[in-house]
Amino acid sequence: MRVGVLTGGGDCPGLNAVIRGIVRKGVQEYGYEFTGFRDGWRGPLDDDTVRLDIPAVRGILPRGGTILGSSRTNPLKAEDGILRIRETLATHGVDALIVIGGEDTLGVAATLTDTHGIPCVGVPKTIDNDLSATDYTFGFDTAVGIATEAIDRLHTTAESHMRVLVCEVMGRHAGWIALHSGLAGGANAILIPEQRFDVDQVCAWVTSRFKASYAPIVVIAEGAMPKDGDLVLKDGTLDSFGHVRLSGIGEWLAKEIEKRTGKEARTTVLGHVQRGGTPSAFDRWLATRFGLHAIDAVRDGDYGKMVALRGTDIVRVPIAEATARLKTVGPELYEEVSVFFG
């Protein structure tokens, strides 16, 4: 049995832990061989492979990023994409693919299995924690920890100068990073994509904070939108999955706050810092378990499934179900944390 492994979409801490778990158990317990595909779906499209064995995964547990590389390649939009993937798998004698990725990468895996009969098993990866079929995705805990530490640091410099600091974090459609890090870091306002915000209300929270002789911290997700506005884009280009590049809502909000309150406001955009560095202990634990259970699914021939965390158990769910809708922050939860705003 030869198993292919690829990591697609944005990188995140914990990807190497998954690869290690897959290879270690696959070789030691089942005697499988492994082929790694480089740069996500580009690897099987262009026949770009790397050998995966136990020496190749030794020492990678604490490393961020992915030893396989990643990209946002969409093979369904490539010329003869399905045929090229079939030919690559046949060339290397690959019997099944383990696909590690988020909504877009796993959506391709679901189509390949359900429509084209290419056997795939999915592993959920995204710092946004927005896949509905799993309680948590690995990478999220590390991103929240990085953002929380940044907010802690921003408090001290904000209070030294008595200025507003706006911290922009990742979160295109879901505000989980903003919500968790903002609450953990004691932010005075948390703005997320699920709830359009009123700039005047944000300014009122800022003013209230200054009256209490403290400098306010506003945490905002990159996909958050004002009630009377739209997404702020870095540029108008689209990736192969049709996504625009977001960035700039934090800078826009800081200017509005400064204009309306007369208080100096600055912006910190965490950006890819949230994706980088060594994974947290929880992400190493979760990613490793996902890898172990993914290779078990291959052994069982349970294709078209994704491993998922439910409570403390790892279960299998259809990939199509996992990517059918995003998990977003509900209004009740947002209302719960809003007691700390202002």
Side-chain angles (χ1 to χ4, degrees):
M1 183 80 170
R2 179 171 290 275
V3 181
V5 182
L6 65 83
T7 55
D11 70 298
C12 76
L15 284 165
N16 287 323
V18 180
I19 298 168
R20 173 178 174 269
I22 291 168
V23 173
R24 284 287 297 271
K25 187 168 188 178
V27 172
Q28 294 173 193
E29 299 292 325
Y30 306 135
Y32 294 166
E33 296 181 333
F34 292 89
T35 295
F37 291 102
R38 292 197 53 80
D39 301 335
W41 287 113
R42 189 194 66 77
L45 276 178
D46 296 343
D47 193 7
D48 190 355
T49 66
V50 60
R51 180 180 176 84
L52 279 183
D53 52 19
I54 289 180
V57 301
R58 190 168 290 135
I60 67 172
L61 177 63
R63 286 175 55 183
T66 164
I67 62 170
L68 294 178
S70 191
S71 72
R72 297 190 184 277
T73 303
N74 185 352
L76 303 181
K77 291 189 176 180
E79 184 176 356
D80 297 325
I82 305 302
L83 176 61
R84 289 160 62 187
I85 288 175
R86 287 189 187 280
E87 290 177 345
T88 298
L89 298 182
T91 297
H92 296 278
V94 173
D95 302 292
L97 272 176
I98 295 179
V99 179
I100 310 166
E103 175 196 10
D104 296 323
T105 301
L106 293 178
V108 172
T111 299
L112 292 182
T113 300
D114 298 341
T115 305
H116 301 284
I118 297 175
C120 297
V121 168
V123 177
K125 172 252 22 158
T126 166
I127 65 169
D128 289 337
N129 197 40
D130 59 2
L131 287 175
S132 60
T134 183
D135 289 349
Y136 286 98
T137 56
F138 70 89
F140 172 68
D141 184 72
T142 304
V144 168
I146 292 168
T148 301
E149 181 181 354
I151 295 165
D152 288 344
R153 292 174 181 273
L154 290 176
H155 274 291
T156 59
T157 185
E159 290 173 7
S160 294
H161 295 274
M162 290 304 288
R163 59 166 62 117
V164 185
L165 285 183
V166 178
C167 180
E168 182 184 307
V169 300
M170 285 185 169
R172 177 181 295 273
H173 301 296
W176 294 109
I177 294 177
L179 192 77
H180 281 240
S181 64
L183 183 62
N188 309 110
I190 302 171
L191 309 177
I192 61 176
E194 295 88 339
Q195 302 282 336
R196 284 182 175 259
F197 62 89
D198 184 333
V199 179
D200 287 333
Q201 177 62 75
V202 175
C203 290
W205 289 331
V206 164
T207 302
S208 173
R209 183 70 173 174
F210 276 118
K211 286 181 179 178
S213 299
Y214 289 99
I217 302 291
V218 179
V219 175
I220 185 168
E222 62 185 352
M225 291 182 287
K227 286 184 176 179
D228 56 353
D230 210 336
L231 284 172
V232 175
L233 308 180
K234 190 174 185 65
D235 55 51
T237 59
L238 303 177
D239 66 19
S240 62
F241 290 97
H243 299 310
V244 293
R245 296 175 64 192
L246 300 180
S247 183
I249 185 62
E251 187 67 31
W252 178 88
L253 180 61
K255 290 178 180 178
E256 288 295 315
I257 290 173
E258 192 165 282
K259 181 173 65 176
R260 300 186 190 201
T261 67
K263 300 292 186 180
E264 185 181 6
R266 301 287 179 85
T267 307
T268 296
V269 180
L270 295 186
H272 289 80
V273 170
Q274 295 157 92
R275 292 191 182 280
T278 187
S280 67
F282 178 81
D283 279 339
R284 298 185 202 190
W285 174 87
L286 179 59
T288 298
R289 292 189 70 201
F290 276 162
L292 299 177
H293 283 262
I295 197 63
D296 285 347
V298 170
R299 175 203 59 185
D300 297 340
D302 198 6
Y303 302 122
K305 298 293 181 62
M306 182 193 84
V307 293
L309 180 68
R310 298 281 175 85
T312 57
D313 296 327
I314 305 294
V315 301
R316 300 173 192 169
V317 297
I319 300 176
E321 174 188 319
T323 57
R325 64 180 180 86
L326 292 178
K327 178 177 65 181
T328 54
V329 177
E332 299 84 4
L333 182 56
Y334 188 68
E335 179 66 24
E336 180 181 306
V337 304
S338 66
V339 67
F340 297 103
F341 297 174

